[in-house]
Amino acid sequence: MKKKMLAVLMAATMVAAVTAGCGEKAVQEAEPQATEAVSEEVKEENVESVTAEKAEEPAEDTAVLEDGTYTATFTTDSSMFHINEAYGDKGILKVQNGEMTIHITLPSKNIINLFPGSAEDAQKDGAVLLEPTTDIVKYEDGTTEEVYGFDVPVPAIDAGFPLALIGTKGKWYDHEVTVSDVQASNGEEDEKLAKEVADLIDAIYVQTYNDNTYADCEKAKAAWDALTDDQKELVEGEDADPDYFGRDTGDASKDDPLNGDDIGENELLVVSFGTSFNDSRAKDIGGIEKALAAAYPDWSVRRAFTAQIIINHVYARDAEKIDNVEQALQRAVDNGVKNLVIQPTHLMHGAEYDELMEVVESYKDKFETVAIAEPLLGTVGKDASEINEDKEKVAVAVTEAAVKEAGFADLAAAKDEGVAFVFMGHGTSHTAKVTYSQMQTQMQKLGYENVFIGTVEGEPEETELTNVIAAVKEAGYKKVVLRPLMVVAGDHANNDMAGDDEDSWKSGFEADGSFESVDCQISGLGGIEAVQDIYVKHTGDMIK
């Protein structure tokens, strides 16, 4: 309407100009009519304009967005510059203290910087470029990809503004972008949906299995997939959090669950606690299983996990079915297995090993022979002074692996540089906890003065974090390398040891302020060939 009114005024001016060329009299005669006509039309147009604006445009004060989070459409003037297809053309608009910023996720990492202005200004001294974030996009086919995202300042809604970009070729380009179609997020509804998902996760975060377990896992995953990215961040329950489904732990398809039938008469069942970290499961547990399969080709290797919580997690997130111990034993029975050898990958004769023994006992009469091999560290012994060949082999293997990964020729060279190696186990209240004290004794017997043993649970007491920090300080070491003393480098290694939370071991050593550096090695024992050889020997002792 404003453009139409402007056109009328211009027409009136032209009429006045033309009549002026016909003489003064003509002007005097024409002017009243033209002026009257224009006046009436402009008056009418003004009324129409005001009416239309009131009907079609929000009042100025209602157009101001309140602080909060919204979704909004982000469009550009180029088909080469757009939001990732997984998000359509939508971004997350945040308003704080009246200032607006929209987060956009791009299709790749080809755009390395943005600048809110022209390409020319972006290249001037002092120009502040927008740095990328690394966003993980999950597509409909289940694949994920790391791409760049940006937080772009938004000067106005429904109005184009300049945004320059530079790609991997180092050339700046001018673009105009627009943010529109702002939709307020429904906070209450978001929290309700997130709570429903959290409850579904908590329901499968259990150590028991029943006939509904798989269906419950599928229901939790479907509900998670239906959430928006913002809603997923709100998921929080007794055990649930966004990482349950959202954390990228590697490609599950690279792992073999070893749950096939057609076993034959001889089965070697490898029983592990388990891990939901896909990469570690394939490398550490899978590494042991492959070593056993290669050593004993006449035996069919199958897998079982003792942690139903882990089994549920892997199935819910990645649709990979792993047998629990009872399922694996029943599979063996159904397949007519006569000779069964069970190789636990557990470190010691602890609570999990005892539970395994109880379940196996109830199936013993269903096979001609059943044998259970030793766990990794062998027999426990009566006190901290008792060590054995298995503990020595593990001590040597994990120390050599840690020293090599840290870039030293040997442990002595690391000691000369003031480096201490701290191996973090799980810990237990079981009487087998003396095993950790025995491992410290073993390190001392080997002359490994700069190697220390700790545990997440702090049992035995000397393995608790503050006590380990004190021991390392008292010995005078200024640099620390943390590494798990666990078969897998899973949740404990990534979070309890190397996580950024203040209660992690890395954070604890850093907060003490006594150390120049604290480095972490995310590697499980199962990936070390010398450790795999110990399991092979233990299994062989049962097969002979």
Side-chain angles (χ1 to χ4, degrees):
M1 298 301 289
K2 290 180 180 178
K3 289 183 179 179
K4 184 176 180 182
M5 184 172 68
L6 179 60
V8 172
L9 288 172
M10 290 178 67
T13 304
M14 290 174 66
V15 169
V18 169
T19 54
C22 298
E24 186 177 343
K25 184 176 180 180
V27 171
Q28 288 175 346
E29 290 177 355
E31 190 172 4
Q33 296 177 356
T35 303
E36 183 178 355
V38 170
S39 177
E40 288 299 321
E41 194 165 0
V42 169
K43 181 178 179 181
E44 183 180 337
E45 291 294 340
N46 272 315
V47 172
E48 289 181 11
S49 177
V50 171
T51 303
E53 285 184 34
K54 285 184 177 179
E56 298 172 7
E57 297 180 10
E60 185 176 344
D61 56 325
T62 60
V64 176
L65 295 176
E66 295 181 358
D67 284 7
T69 302
Y70 306 80
T71 60
T73 299
F74 180 89
T75 53
T76 76
D77 57 3
S78 170
S79 61
M80 302 300 290
F81 176 31
H82 57 84
I83 286 182
N84 190 290
E85 62 181 24
Y87 300 99
D89 55 2
K90 300 293 184 182
I92 302 299
L93 182 71
K94 292 188 177 180
V95 183
Q96 186 172 5
N97 298 325
E99 295 186 358
M100 299 181 290
T101 303
I102 188 168
H103 183 81
I104 58 173
T105 299
L106 303 184
S108 67
K109 292 185 176 181
N110 292 336
I111 295 174
I112 58 176
N113 287 113
L114 296 178
F115 178 75
S118 68
E120 181 181 356
D121 289 341
Q123 300 172 74
K124 293 180 180 179
D125 290 341
V128 179
L129 307 183
L130 302 182
E131 298 293 336
T133 61
T134 300
D135 295 0
I136 298 176
V137 178
K138 187 170 185 178
Y139 298 100
E140 289 184 356
D141 62 3
T143 60
T144 59
E145 182 182 18
E146 279 194 1
V147 299
Y148 280 158
F150 289 90
D151 293 308
V152 179
V154 180
I157 303 297
D158 294 325
F161 60 91
L163 186 64
L165 66 83
I166 185 172
T168 53
K169 295 183 179 179
K171 184 176 179 180
W172 281 96
Y173 295 90
D174 281 309
H175 288 287
E176 182 175 276
V177 301
T178 304
V179 175
S180 60
D181 189 25
V182 177
Q183 302 290 328
S185 63
N186 188 333
E188 277 187 27
E189 182 66 17
D190 289 348
E191 290 181 5
K192 177 185 175 184
L193 293 172
K195 179 65 166 58
E196 290 174 357
V197 173
D199 289 343
L200 291 171
I201 293 174
D202 284 339
I204 60 175
Y205 203 94
V206 292
Q207 192 58 16
T208 55
Y209 171 83
N210 59 55
D211 292 340
N212 297 321
T213 293
Y214 290 133
D216 290 342
C217 290
E218 292 166 5
K219 185 177 179 181
K221 181 60 161 59
W224 166 266
D225 288 342
L227 297 181
T228 66
D229 287 346
D230 279 354
Q231 290 167 346
K232 289 174 180 177
E233 291 300 319
L234 299 174
V235 172
E236 184 177 354
E238 184 176 347
D239 296 295
D241 59 40
D243 281 347
Y244 187 87
F245 284 118
R247 184 166 188 169
D248 181 10
T249 65
D251 186 353
S253 68
K254 294 180 180 179
D255 178 51
D256 186 349
L258 295 175
N259 58 1
D261 293 319
D262 300 322
I263 300 171
E265 293 187 352
N266 302 321
E267 177 179 343
L268 173 51
L269 180 61
V270 183
V271 179
S272 307
F273 176 82
T275 179
S276 63
F277 279 68
N278 294 329
D279 285 346
S280 180
R281 191 167 65 256
K283 178 184 177 183
D284 298 326
I285 295 175
I288 295 168
E289 293 164 342
K290 288 181 175 65
L292 291 168
Y296 306 107
D298 295 333
W299 291 70
S300 296
V301 176
R302 293 295 182 267
R303 171 192 290 177
F305 282 1
T306 58
Q308 189 68 44
I309 289 172
I310 299 298
I311 294 171
N312 293 352
H313 192 172
V314 174
Y315 180 70
R317 186 189 61 200
D318 303 310
E320 178 182 333
K321 278 187 178 180
I322 298 171
D323 285 345
N324 60 34
V325 177
E326 290 191 1
Q327 288 171 326
L329 291 173
Q330 189 59 51
R331 186 185 299 278
V333 172
D334 295 341
N335 277 265
V337 171
K338 294 181 179 180
N339 305 304
L340 178 67
V341 171
I342 298 174
Q343 176 60 67
T345 66
H346 303 108
L347 248 64
M348 63 189 73
H349 289 268
E352 293 157 19
Y353 185 89
D354 291 346
E355 292 170 5
L356 169 63
M357 294 290 286
E358 290 178 10
V359 177
V360 174
E361 184 66 29
S362 64
Y363 277 84
K364 269 191 173 181
D365 61 352
K366 300 182 186 298
F367 306 98
E368 291 183 10
T369 65
V370 177
I372 302 177
E374 283 288 310
L376 181 60
L377 298 177
T379 56
V380 176
K382 65 181 184 298
D383 57 37
S385 66
E386 282 202 21
I387 54 178
N388 58 31
E389 184 181 355
D390 291 328
K391 293 180 177 67
E392 181 179 358
K393 288 179 178 179
V394 172
V396 171
V398 69
T399 302
E400 286 183 352
V403 168
K404 182 179 180 181
E405 188 171 330
F408 294 102
D410 52 36
L411 190 60
K415 181 180 178 182
D416 291 342
E417 292 290 327
V419 177
F421 291 89
V422 177
F423 299 130
M424 186 195 77
H426 185 278
T428 177
S429 58
H430 192 278
T431 55
K433 66 183 178 182
V434 70
T435 302
Y436 294 106
S437 302
Q438 292 166 349
M439 283 300 291
Q440 186 66 67
T441 299
Q442 182 64 74
M443 296 298 181
Q444 293 165 353
K445 290 278 188 182
L446 290 167
Y448 295 172
E449 297 178 359
N450 54 331
V451 175
F452 301 82
I453 304 296
T455 65
V456 178
E457 299 294 330
E459 293 194 57
E461 187 177 348
E462 67 268 19
T463 63
E464 190 267 332
L465 175 58
T466 57
N467 291 331
V468 174
I469 291 175
V472 175
K473 283 199 305 186
E474 185 178 350
Y477 297 103
K478 294 296 183 182
K479 300 175 183 177
V480 176
V481 175
L482 301 174
R483 185 184 177 103
L485 186 67
M486 302 177 181
V487 173
V488 299
D491 184 69
H492 289 303
N494 285 273
N495 296 326
D496 295 317
M497 186 188 78
D500 292 326
D501 291 344
E502 62 179 16
D503 59 349
S504 75
W505 279 54
K506 178 173 74 78
S507 297
F509 272 94
E510 290 174 342
D512 185 80
S514 303
F515 306 99
E516 297 173 8
S517 64
V518 181
D519 297 317
C520 296
Q521 297 178 355
I522 311 295
S523 299
L525 293 170
I528 302 174
E529 186 176 348
V531 171
Q532 296 168 5
D533 290 342
I534 298 172
Y535 286 115
V536 169
K537 181 182 182 304
H538 287 178
T539 299
D541 291 340
M542 297 296 104
I543 288 178
K544 290 178 182 178

